[in-house]
Amino acid sequence: MHHLLVINTGGTIGMKPSDRGLVPAPNFLEHYCHTHLFQTIVGLTVSWFEWSPLIDSSQIHPHQWNKIAQVIADQIDQHDSVLIIHGTDTLAYTASALSFMLKGLHKPVIITGSMRSIQESNSDGPSNLKLALSTCLSRKHVGVWVCFHHGIFPGSHVTKIDAVGAQAFSAPIPSDYADLHFPLSTDPVDIQWIDAEKCAIDVFTFYPGCTLDSLGYMSTNNSRAIILRSFGSGNVPESGELTHHLRTALAAGKIVVNLSQCLASSVDMERYQAGGHLLKLGVVSAYTMTFEATLTKLMVLLSQNADHDIVVRKFGETWGYEMPQPQK
Ligand code: ASP
């Protein structure tokens, strides 16, 4: 027997055309899955939770991650695995958020969706659903994983790379997750809630010739953290103005994180002088993390009322399938 919990949040996979463009269609995907997928598997029972209304995932808000986490925590003991159906636009954010929010997962939580509605003849939905379902049934992938276009990606290290093609997701390095530690537990699932009120985060992207006015604003506003999108392995153009804004932000108790603009990156602020000055100021490395993981890990930590040093320490620790930062 396998007891599967399905949480259908919406997304293209279950959408139908309307005079306003594609919109989610209630009960449509559930009917498809029961008639084309589930009935062929002996011993499978399915609990289907469908959001009302179903959403285009571009509309998702962090309070809805809490809602998903709550259903999983409430239902996991009665089920062997969880399948989440999600729109692709923010799927990587939800996967990252759940990876950091759900501690003590000892069963698979698999997320999928598709680029084309299941009703289209060339839809990638059926193959994505089959891969996701077989990953649930095999129980080999414990924790949060994304199944998409023949790939199985760790929820904490996946990003959307294509807005049209079927190969829409990637896990840009680290390429070998085999040796990474994933904390297994038989304790009840512990949820780290996200409180959106407590985790306003700014993002500043460097480009050649950029002015720093908006960074100046970020250094004094009410946000709790600033993510700097740097070049290459964590380098930025040095200036007295930059140092001033970063000192102001850090003195105000903000966490400032250095995240590379490169998709496959590994921030190393000791490699070049152009990164070293950030390290000296107290900027924290995002190392190999994706933008989605950096953002959601910060959200989880900032929601916990921990003080600055604890957030910095825990941000550098490995949770689930993440590359451990080198100890210096
Ligand atoms: N806009 C859709 C969504 O994210 C795109 C998709 O599902 O592929 O809900």
Side-chain angles (χ1 to χ4, degrees), residues 11-13 15 55-58 86-90 114-115 160:
T12 299
I13 192 166
M15 288 192 186
I55 62 164
D56 181 304
S57 75
S58 55
H86 201 287
T88 61
D89 286 349
T90 57
S114 71
M115 302 303 286
K160 186 172 180 181

PDB file of all heavy atoms in Angstrom, residues 11-13 15 55-58 86-90 114-115 160, ligand 1:
ATOM      1  N   GLY A  11      -1.315  26.377 -11.446  1.00  0.00           N
ATOM      2  CA  GLY A  11      -0.261  26.368 -12.460  1.00  0.00           C
ATOM      3  C   GLY A  11      -0.778  25.927 -13.817  1.00  0.00           C
ATOM      4  O   GLY A  11      -1.880  25.377 -13.940  1.00  0.00           O
ATOM      5  N   THR A  12       0.054  26.138 -14.818  1.00  0.00           N
ATOM      6  CA  THR A  12      -0.316  25.838 -16.214  1.00  0.00           C
ATOM      7  C   THR A  12      -0.806  24.417 -16.406  1.00  0.00           C
ATOM      8  O   THR A  12      -1.718  24.167 -17.202  1.00  0.00           O
ATOM      9  CB  THR A  12       0.925  26.065 -17.121  1.00  0.00           C
ATOM     10  OG1 THR A  12       1.304  27.428 -17.015  1.00  0.00           O
ATOM     11  CG2 THR A  12       0.638  25.734 -18.568  1.00  0.00           C
ATOM     12  N   ILE A  13      -0.213  23.477 -15.703  1.00  0.00           N
ATOM     13  CA  ILE A  13      -0.528  22.062 -15.913  1.00  0.00           C
ATOM     14  C   ILE A  13      -2.041  21.794 -15.883  1.00  0.00           C
ATOM     15  O   ILE A  13      -2.535  20.973 -16.644  1.00  0.00           O
ATOM     16  CB  ILE A  13       0.250  21.188 -14.885  1.00  0.00           C
ATOM     17  CG1 ILE A  13       0.176  19.718 -15.273  1.00  0.00           C
ATOM     18  CG2 ILE A  13      -0.219  21.421 -13.453  1.00  0.00           C
ATOM     19  CD1 ILE A  13       1.176  18.836 -14.524  1.00  0.00           C
ATOM     20  N   MET A  15      -4.441  24.260 -16.319  1.00  0.00           N
ATOM     21  CA  MET A  15      -5.171  25.447 -16.805  1.00  0.00           C
ATOM     22  C   MET A  15      -5.920  25.149 -18.092  1.00  0.00           C
ATOM     23  O   MET A  15      -5.597  24.211 -18.824  1.00  0.00           O
ATOM     24  CB  MET A  15      -4.189  26.608 -17.047  1.00  0.00           C
ATOM     25  CG  MET A  15      -3.648  27.231 -15.768  1.00  0.00           C
ATOM     26  SD  MET A  15      -2.784  28.782 -16.136  1.00  0.00           S
ATOM     27  CE  MET A  15      -2.113  29.174 -14.523  1.00  0.00           C
ATOM     28  N   ILE A  55      -4.256  28.829  -8.144  1.00  0.00           N
ATOM     29  CA  ILE A  55      -3.616  30.099  -8.545  1.00  0.00           C
ATOM     30  C   ILE A  55      -2.602  29.918  -9.680  1.00  0.00           C
ATOM     31  O   ILE A  55      -2.061  28.824  -9.884  1.00  0.00           O
ATOM     32  CB  ILE A  55      -2.899  30.787  -7.355  1.00  0.00           C
ATOM     33  CG1 ILE A  55      -1.764  29.901  -6.803  1.00  0.00           C
ATOM     34  CG2 ILE A  55      -3.880  31.182  -6.275  1.00  0.00           C
ATOM     35  CD1 ILE A  55      -0.797  30.659  -5.906  1.00  0.00           C
ATOM     36  N   ASP A  56      -2.377  30.995 -10.382  1.00  0.00           N
ATOM     37  CA  ASP A  56      -1.181  31.125 -11.214  1.00  0.00           C
ATOM     38  C   ASP A  56      -0.072  31.408 -10.191  1.00  0.00           C
ATOM     39  O   ASP A  56      -0.222  32.308  -9.352  1.00  0.00           O
ATOM     40  CB  ASP A  56      -1.376  32.307 -12.173  1.00  0.00           C
ATOM     41  CG  ASP A  56      -0.191  32.514 -13.096  1.00  0.00           C
ATOM     42  OD1 ASP A  56       0.944  32.673 -12.598  1.00  0.00           O
ATOM     43  OD2 ASP A  56      -0.404  32.538 -14.306  1.00  0.00           O
ATOM     44  N   SER A  57       1.025  30.676 -10.247  1.00  0.00           N
ATOM     45  CA  SER A  57       1.989  30.757  -9.137  1.00  0.00           C
ATOM     46  C   SER A  57       2.687  32.114  -9.041  1.00  0.00           C
ATOM     47  O   SER A  57       3.335  32.399  -8.033  1.00  0.00           O
ATOM     48  CB  SER A  57       3.018  29.636  -9.228  1.00  0.00           C
ATOM     49  OG  SER A  57       3.960  29.900 -10.237  1.00  0.00           O
ATOM     50  N   SER A  58       2.548  32.954 -10.069  1.00  0.00           N
ATOM     51  CA  SER A  58       3.109  34.304  -9.951  1.00  0.00           C
ATOM     52  C   SER A  58       2.395  35.081  -8.836  1.00  0.00           C
ATOM     53  O   SER A  58       2.899  36.106  -8.373  1.00  0.00           O
ATOM     54  CB  SER A  58       2.992  35.058 -11.276  1.00  0.00           C
ATOM     55  OG  SER A  58       1.643  35.065 -11.701  1.00  0.00           O
ATOM     56  N   HIS A  86       2.310  22.602  -8.816  1.00  0.00           N
ATOM     57  CA  HIS A  86       2.617  24.026  -8.653  1.00  0.00           C
ATOM     58  C   HIS A  86       2.902  24.648 -10.018  1.00  0.00           C
ATOM     59  O   HIS A  86       3.492  24.011 -10.883  1.00  0.00           O
ATOM     60  CB  HIS A  86       3.857  24.138  -7.765  1.00  0.00           C
ATOM     61  CG  HIS A  86       4.053  25.456  -7.085  1.00  0.00           C
ATOM     62  ND1 HIS A  86       4.449  26.593  -7.751  1.00  0.00           N
ATOM     63  CD2 HIS A  86       3.930  25.806  -5.781  1.00  0.00           C
ATOM     64  CE1 HIS A  86       4.555  27.600  -6.891  1.00  0.00           C
ATOM     65  NE2 HIS A  86       4.243  27.146  -5.685  1.00  0.00           N
ATOM     66  N   GLY A  87       2.533  25.913 -10.189  1.00  0.00           N
ATOM     67  CA  GLY A  87       2.934  26.638 -11.388  1.00  0.00           C
ATOM     68  C   GLY A  87       4.443  26.780 -11.423  1.00  0.00           C
ATOM     69  O   GLY A  87       5.105  26.798 -10.378  1.00  0.00           O
ATOM     70  N   THR A  88       4.999  26.907 -12.620  1.00  0.00           N
ATOM     71  CA  THR A  88       6.461  26.884 -12.708  1.00  0.00           C
ATOM     72  C   THR A  88       7.106  28.235 -12.377  1.00  0.00           C
ATOM     73  O   THR A  88       8.280  28.280 -12.022  1.00  0.00           O
ATOM     74  CB  THR A  88       6.915  26.461 -14.121  1.00  0.00           C
ATOM     75  OG1 THR A  88       6.422  27.408 -15.069  1.00  0.00           O
ATOM     76  CG2 THR A  88       6.414  25.071 -14.456  1.00  0.00           C
ATOM     77  N   ASP A  89       6.341  29.330 -12.493  1.00  0.00           N
ATOM     78  CA  ASP A  89       6.972  30.650 -12.315  1.00  0.00           C
ATOM     79  C   ASP A  89       7.673  30.792 -10.967  1.00  0.00           C
ATOM     80  O   ASP A  89       8.774  31.338 -10.887  1.00  0.00           O
ATOM     81  CB  ASP A  89       5.931  31.765 -12.456  1.00  0.00           C
ATOM     82  CG  ASP A  89       5.517  31.978 -13.905  1.00  0.00           C
ATOM     83  OD1 ASP A  89       6.183  31.427 -14.798  1.00  0.00           O
ATOM     84  OD2 ASP A  89       4.520  32.688 -14.136  1.00  0.00           O
ATOM     85  N   THR A  90       7.037  30.352  -9.915  1.00  0.00           N
ATOM     86  CA  THR A  90       7.640  30.503  -8.577  1.00  0.00           C
ATOM     87  C   THR A  90       7.876  29.149  -7.902  1.00  0.00           C
ATOM     88  O   THR A  90       8.077  29.086  -6.694  1.00  0.00           O
ATOM     89  CB  THR A  90       6.740  31.369  -7.667  1.00  0.00           C
ATOM     90  OG1 THR A  90       5.446  30.750  -7.607  1.00  0.00           O
ATOM     91  CG2 THR A  90       6.613  32.786  -8.187  1.00  0.00           C
ATOM     92  N   SER A 114       4.069  21.889 -15.115  1.00  0.00           N
ATOM     93  CA  SER A 114       4.456  21.707 -16.518  1.00  0.00           C
ATOM     94  C   SER A 114       4.382  23.032 -17.248  1.00  0.00           C
ATOM     95  O   SER A 114       3.788  24.002 -16.770  1.00  0.00           O
ATOM     96  CB  SER A 114       3.576  20.667 -17.210  1.00  0.00           C
ATOM     97  OG  SER A 114       2.276  21.172 -17.402  1.00  0.00           O
ATOM     98  N   MET A 115       4.992  23.057 -18.412  1.00  0.00           N
ATOM     99  CA  MET A 115       5.034  24.279 -19.213  1.00  0.00           C
ATOM    100  C   MET A 115       3.809  24.394 -20.114  1.00  0.00           C
ATOM    101  O   MET A 115       3.498  25.468 -20.610  1.00  0.00           O
ATOM    102  CB  MET A 115       6.313  24.299 -20.075  1.00  0.00           C
ATOM    103  CG  MET A 115       7.591  24.209 -19.257  1.00  0.00           C
ATOM    104  SD  MET A 115       7.724  25.523 -18.040  1.00  0.00           S
ATOM    105  CE  MET A 115       8.103  26.909 -19.098  1.00  0.00           C
ATOM    106  N   LYS A 160      14.484  28.251 -12.084  1.00  0.00           N
ATOM    107  CA  LYS A 160      13.836  28.212 -13.398  1.00  0.00           C
ATOM    108  C   LYS A 160      14.747  28.897 -14.402  1.00  0.00           C
ATOM    109  O   LYS A 160      15.154  30.045 -14.189  1.00  0.00           O
ATOM    110  CB  LYS A 160      12.464  28.899 -13.347  1.00  0.00           C
ATOM    111  CG  LYS A 160      11.682  28.761 -14.650  1.00  0.00           C
ATOM    112  CD  LYS A 160      10.257  29.268 -14.542  1.00  0.00           C
ATOM    113  CE  LYS A 160       9.535  29.107 -15.880  1.00  0.00           C
ATOM    114  NZ  LYS A 160       8.153  29.594 -15.870  1.00  0.00           N
TER     115      LYS A 160
HETATM  116  N1  ASP B   1       2.192  31.273 -14.957  1.00  0.00           N
HETATM  117  C1  ASP B   1       2.225  29.843 -14.706  1.00  0.00           C
HETATM  118  C2  ASP B   1       2.349  29.624 -13.213  1.00  0.00           C
HETATM  119  O1  ASP B   1       3.412  29.765 -12.691  1.00  0.00           O
HETATM  120  C3  ASP B   1       3.364  29.225 -15.469  1.00  0.00           C
HETATM  121  C4  ASP B   1       3.442  27.710 -15.376  1.00  0.00           C
HETATM  122  O2  ASP B   1       2.829  27.064 -14.554  1.00  0.00           O
HETATM  123  O3  ASP B   1       4.216  27.143 -16.192  1.00  0.00           O
HETATM  124  O4  ASP B   1       1.379  29.326 -12.559  1.00  0.00           O
END
